[in-house]
Amino acid sequence: MKAVRCDRTAAWALLQSYFDAQGRAFDVRRAFDSEPNRFSAFSQSAPFVFADLSKNLVDARAEELLLSLARECGLEAHRDAMFAGEHINPTEDRAVLHTLLRHPATEPVPAQLADDFKDVQSTLSAMLDYAESVRADHTITDVVNIGIGGSDLGPQMAVLALAQYVAPGKRFHFVSNVDGHELAGVLRDLAPEHTLFLIASKTFTTAETMTNAQSAKRWFEQSGGLDIASHFAALTTNDEAARAFGIDKTFGFWDWVGGRYSLWSAIGLPIALAIGADGFRALLTGAHAMDQHFKTAPLEDNLPVRLGLLDVWYRNFHGFTSRGIAPYHSALKRLPAYLQQLEMESNGKRVDLDGALVDFGTSPVLWGEPGTNGQHAYFQMLHQGTDVVPMEFIAVRDAAHDLEGHHAKLLANALAQAQALMVGKKDDGGHRDFPGNRPSSFFVFEQLSPESLGAFLACYEHRVFTSGALWGINSFDQWGVELGKVLAKDIEPRLASGNVDGLDPSTAGLLARLRQG
Ligand code: F6P
């Protein structure tokens, strides 16, 4: 069934009328006065995650119309097509099957996915066996993951997030930037005989990763490293290129795993090294539980769907252009960066599946910092600035430390910020006034565990899927990163030669400046 673009549906027009009549002037404080069940109606339990959506600028009628929009756009059919392995990424003619990576070995898969699933299972076992063998090898004290984008952000974020589960004795380093300061800073403290390098690249062609990998190999050889085979492994779909580079130990994945959806694949090896095979399987279990929820819960009780619909409501009717992520847990400090790639690389598109320009907004800007730090930086603007930014608070009920008093203070701050944004405060009518009515969603995990992290990340993936499906765009390609790569290749030799022929005056002027001295 062909998907229908959101702006070509009857529900879209109804939503616009409803927004003009009621939505624009909606006041969530008044809504709480008139809707005694608002908290339960707008909160949603899902596997390992509870979400309070009641502080959002939405009422039952708006949600009902958004659900009609989802149905008219064919969201369910599109979702089912993804799970069935149809090529829903048409510009690359690929299936989108990251969900297969977390499918339990004991449960059947559709016949057409049986061969792929066999490969998934055998690669997962090989990778987890390897992870366990390296964990048991006490001569390896440092693991350096060299990769960028999806080959860095997911593993880095998860290893930090799950620090409390990481066995002592190994340090994890993530090198992504082509900026040599990053690699040099890591290498400074390493000894080759105690180091394992993981070269993580789906394509094994990404310029940053190849440059860092070559330098790491050179450093290894020049510092007396003897056995590349035991100190380098590659995580890639391009086995041939990894072998040509000189790496024998490779763990593969498949073209139907997008880079930003790849932490569940061999790209997750650093996570498995950090938290062990059981921990990695628990991460997959949490994600699979959320996949099942997304697949089977009715749309009105489906957390990723409700979130994706809110995203459409805010972006296309309220006109909000950004969303803030405030994890109230310092271990989640790389979560905003990870979510940035997930959402902005997926949905930062301006043409639909047929290549036609869309004349409505797509991906918002995502950004954020852990609380309470953000409160002493950007929250001023959230409370009293001229723009409304829907916020997302993430709080974990149980602390993983026993320092007295800290966790209650942390949770109190998360609750207070969401409350303050909503209730506001009338004071002098000027500098000390808080307008309030500023929306937020609040996520609660009982513990920050592999399961809850896996479930939350899968929820976000499906939320991005939902808004992308309604917008009728391809959430699974990323052509927008290509032009800059090509131009950087052209400019690099000019930095040495000084040749500015054919460059625009600004680039030529800057290039000359960077060559001076
Ligand atoms: O930034 C573009 C991109 O292709 C991302 O989608 C991807 O995660 C990243 O580069 C790294 O790619 P690779 O894993 O092939 O090195």
Side-chain angles (χ1 to χ4, degrees), residues 92 146-153 200-210 235-237 253 258-262 267 341 345 476-482 485:
E92 296 177 313
I146 293 180
I148 196 163
S151 300
D152 164 66
L153 289 164
S201 176
K202 179 175 171 182
T203 54
F204 225 80
T205 58
T206 303
E208 291 91 333
T209 302
M210 291 305 106
L235 322 174
T236 185
T237 58
F253 56 112
R260 53 195 175 274
Y261 299 88
S262 65
I267 292 293
Q341 188 199 13
E345 200 170 83
F476 298 101
D477 62 10
Q478 56 285 317
W479 298 108
V481 301
E482 294 304 323
K485 290 185 191 172

Side-chain angles (χ1 to χ4, degrees), residues 88 115 119 132 311 319 326 337 349 352 358 404 456-457 460 462:
I88 64 161
D115 289 345
D119 286 352
E132 285 301 330
D311 294 337
K349 312 284 163 68
D352 67 15
V358 298
E404 215 174 300
F456 183 73
L457 300 179
Y460 243 85
H462 298 320

Side-chain angles (χ1 to χ4, degrees), residues 87 98 149 170 183 189 203 207 212 288 346 379 399 425 430 445 476 479 486 497:
H87 284 207
H98 47 278
K170 295 211 193 312
L183 179 62
D189 297 328
T203 54
N212 280 323
H288 177 70
S346 296
F379 269 66
K425 183 166 173 270
F445 311 160
F476 298 101
W479 298 108
V486 172
S497 69

